[in-house]
Amino acid sequence: MVVRVRAAAVNFPDVLLIDGKYQLKIPTPFTPGSELAGDVIAAGDGVPFGPGDRVVGTSFVGAFAEQALLPAASVTAIPDGIDYAAAAGFGVTYRTAYHALRSIAQVSQGDWVVVLGAAGGVGLAAVELGVALGARVLAAASSPEKLAVCTERGAEAVIDYDREDLKARIREITGTGAQAVLDPVGGRYAEPALRSLARGGRFVTLGYAAGSIPAIPLNLVMLKGITVQGMEIRTFADDHPDDNERDLAELAELFAGGRVSPYIGARFPLAETAAALRYVADRKAIGKVIIDV
């Protein structure tokens, strides 16, 4: 189907893809952007949408444009009362965070969950969703401004990991250590966060926004009985079809009911897409960055 794009969201993988550093390579030229919201212009036979329907969709590339061609399977209706920007900013980051919390880390009521890069798109979604799941969320980020937003979104405690000892502060706050760590950052923050886990804790690696892939001493994993697991949104549905179906249904209910919604920290017009991508690449983003079309 063809969609008139009204809003698109910038994600860190868009930056990696343009720079040739993503796991998959796309031949140039291509139009970047992986998630969008807008109105259906035209649809093929058998597609459950028609002209004028408000939809949100995902595509590996092509979202940063006035119009986009999407397969029907990647499109869903925007719930009533949800605007285009919120719809565009919800999909990738919230699905990533919810799968990581619900299916991979298997977070339970009352668990201490440490979220690294907590003011970014996935991080802030994880803060909000962790609270919705009944967890005690400890948000770690790199500035007082970012941590203030994490507190607004429900984090019980915060750590400025550029100015504080991450491992010591996690231990101080949680007492016996955290039950789970979600890490979309990598770099130098990963190991101290892993060391702060309680015995039997779960460490979920989601990406490497810091620019380097950490080397984890495996003796730590062995001695504390820690589980380290990766999660990639692109392959999660194929690897875990039952969990994916359950998670998406629960997530849609949370979103439609107004219990969770993306924090939009910056907006750019389509003509300034390059500036929006640079804003994300420079780690200035808090929550979601939206391109208005």
Side-chain angles (χ1 to χ4, degrees):
M1 69 176 65
V2 180
V3 175
R4 166 66 171 94
V5 181
R6 301 295 182 182
V10 183
N11 295 293
F12 191 72
D14 299 326
V15 175
L16 296 178
L17 198 63
I18 292 169
D19 202 22
K21 295 180 179 179
Y22 194 65
Q23 293 95 323
L24 297 180
K25 310 299 181 186
I26 299 294
T28 55
F30 65 88
T31 299
S34 59
E35 58 182 339
L36 60 89
D39 308 308
V40 175
I41 296 174
D45 293 339
V47 174
F49 298 102
D53 287 344
R54 298 189 332 129
V55 296
V56 59
T58 58
S59 177
F60 200 55
V61 294
F64 302 158
E66 293 179 348
Q67 296 183 14
L69 180 64
L70 300 171
S74 70
V75 173
T76 57
I78 298 176
D80 292 340
I82 304 295
D83 65 22
Y84 293 112
F90 184 76
V92 173
T93 54
Y94 276 77
R95 289 201 306 272
T96 299
Y98 198 70
H99 292 324
L101 289 163
R102 181 77 164 88
S103 295
I104 305 301
Q106 299 179 12
V107 168
S108 299
Q109 183 94 13
D111 281 354
W112 273 109
V113 177
V114 175
V115 180
L116 304 182
V122 171
L124 207 52
V127 169
E128 191 175 17
L129 290 168
V131 173
L133 288 169
R136 306 178 71 182
V137 176
L138 198 171
S142 60
S143 73
E145 179 188 11
K146 291 179 177 181
L147 293 174
V149 175
C150 294
T151 300
E152 288 177 17
R153 304 301 271 192
E156 183 172 333
V158 297
I159 298 173
D160 185 334
Y161 51 33
D162 278 357
R163 296 167 179 81
E164 300 180 83
D165 184 317
L166 181 61
K167 175 189 170 185
R169 288 288 289 133
I170 292 173
R171 283 288 187 173
E172 178 183 341
I173 291 167
T174 64
T176 58
Q179 281 69 51
V181 170
L182 266 61
D183 181 15
V185 179
R188 62 190 177 93
Y189 309 112
E191 185 176 330
L194 184 140
R195 287 179 179 274
S196 75
L197 280 167
R199 184 165 186 81
R202 286 89 64 195
F203 186 99
V204 185
T205 178
L206 297 170
Y208 310 103
S212 61
I213 300 173
I216 298 296
L218 288 179
N219 63 313
L220 297 177
V221 177
M222 178 188 71
L223 293 172
K224 299 180 71 173
I226 291 167
T227 298
V228 178
Q229 189 166 345
M231 202 289 291
E232 186 189 18
I233 188 64
R234 185 175 56 87
T235 57
F236 183 83
D238 291 335
D239 294 340
H240 307 279
D242 293 339
D243 288 342
N244 181 67
E245 184 177 353
R246 178 203 62 199
D247 291 356
L248 291 183
E250 293 175 355
L251 193 55
E253 185 176 348
L254 288 170
F255 187 42
R259 292 184 60 194
V260 296
S261 183
Y263 177 90
I264 298 172
R267 303 177 79 143
F268 294 80
L270 182 62
E272 296 180 14
T273 295
L277 287 160
R278 173 52 56 193
Y279 191 79
V280 172
D282 289 343
R283 295 181 62 195
K284 295 179 179 178
I286 299 178
K288 295 297 296 186
V289 173
I290 296 296
I291 294 173
D292 294 304
V293 182

